[in-house]
Amino acid sequence: AEFARRGLSVCGYDFSAEYLKEAAGRAKKENFIISFVKGDMREIHFDEKFDAAVSLFNSFGYFADKSDDIKTLKGIFRALKPGGVFALDIVNGTNVRKYSLPQSKTDLGRRNLIEKIEFHGDGMTCSWTFTDKKTGKSQTEIFFNRLYDKETIKEALEESGFSAMKMYGGFGGEPLTDKSERIIAISKKIRLT
């Protein structure tokens, strides 16, 4: 919606029909014309259609097999026009490994969240248990997240065809350090002639 608000032509892509329906409803409320496509990020079928692509708020790195991450990046690369820019926002794996607690509790208002983290290989398994404060009912979600650092995300982007990379530690262009919570990787599709 923010891109559409700024006058850009936008396509939203997600696996969740529910999320897409919610996004389409919000776009309609604000009179934005946005196309929404339901699909698996490992199977992006656009060819040189977009000037830019963004993957924000750590929406990348959840597949158990790293080759699926590479398939995703190659699909994004294919979907960009020559000179197209890709902005990827992920958690900084170095920061997570150094500074995360194995267990934490967060008050979310109506619910409490207990997060447990177990590191292994190139990632971590997270267990999130949400407990309703009034009813005491709990729901647990478990997921894997591959932890990329500056070097490993650079390698994955290069393997997928991207170049001319810049890495930041936040949306304000802060330098990327071990203490940065995020990695904002900006890369380009440069066609060699």
Side-chain angles (χ1 to χ4, degrees), residues 11-15 20 36-41 43-46:
C11 174
Y13 190 93
D14 202 286
F15 186 71
L20 291 170
F36 292 98
V37 177
K38 182 182 183 306
D40 186 319
M41 67 191 328
E43 300 172 5
I44 297 171
H45 297 294
F46 297 106

Side-chain angles (χ1 to χ4, degrees), residues 75-92:
I76 293 167
F77 183 84
R78 230 182 3 264
L80 289 172
K81 295 175 184 176
V85 176
F86 175 46
L88 175 64
D89 164 34
I90 55 174
V91 297
N92 181 355

Side-chain angles (χ1 to χ4, degrees), residues 9 31 50 56 72 75 98 109 116 120 135 148 170 173 175 191:
S9 175
N31 293 318
F50 303 102
L56 304 175
T72 299
K98 283 187 174 184
K116 295 179 184 177
H120 48 85
T135 66
Y148 286 96
R191 178 172 285 158

Side-chain angles (χ1 to χ4, degrees), residues 65 104 119 149 191:
D65 190 335
S104 62
F119 296 104
D149 59 27
R191 178 172 285 158

Side-chain angles (χ1 to χ4, degrees), residues 167-176:
M167 305 268 182
Y168 302 98
F171 287 111
E174 300 88 348
L176 177 59

Side-chain angles (χ1 to χ4, degrees), residues 159-175:
E159 182 179 341
S160 304
F162 288 101
S163 56
M165 274 168 253
K166 293 183 181 179
M167 305 268 182
Y168 302 98
F171 287 111
E174 300 88 348

Side-chain angles (χ1 to χ4, degrees), residues 29-81:
K29 270 186 187 175
E30 297 197 46
N31 293 318
F32 294 141
I33 298 171
I34 300 175
S35 66
F36 292 98
V37 177
K38 182 182 183 306
D40 186 319
M41 67 191 328
R42 295 168 289 187
E43 300 172 5
I44 297 171
H45 297 294
F46 297 106
D47 288 306
E48 297 189 353
K49 182 173 175 79
F50 303 102
D51 296 307
V54 296
S55 176
L56 304 175
F57 310 114
N58 203 39
S59 300
F60 179 79
Y62 290 93
F63 298 115
D65 190 335
K66 186 176 179 180
S67 68
D68 287 327
D69 289 351
I70 301 301
K71 283 180 193 172
T72 299
L73 293 174
K74 285 182 176 181
I76 293 167
F77 183 84
R78 230 182 3 264
L80 289 172
K81 295 175 184 176

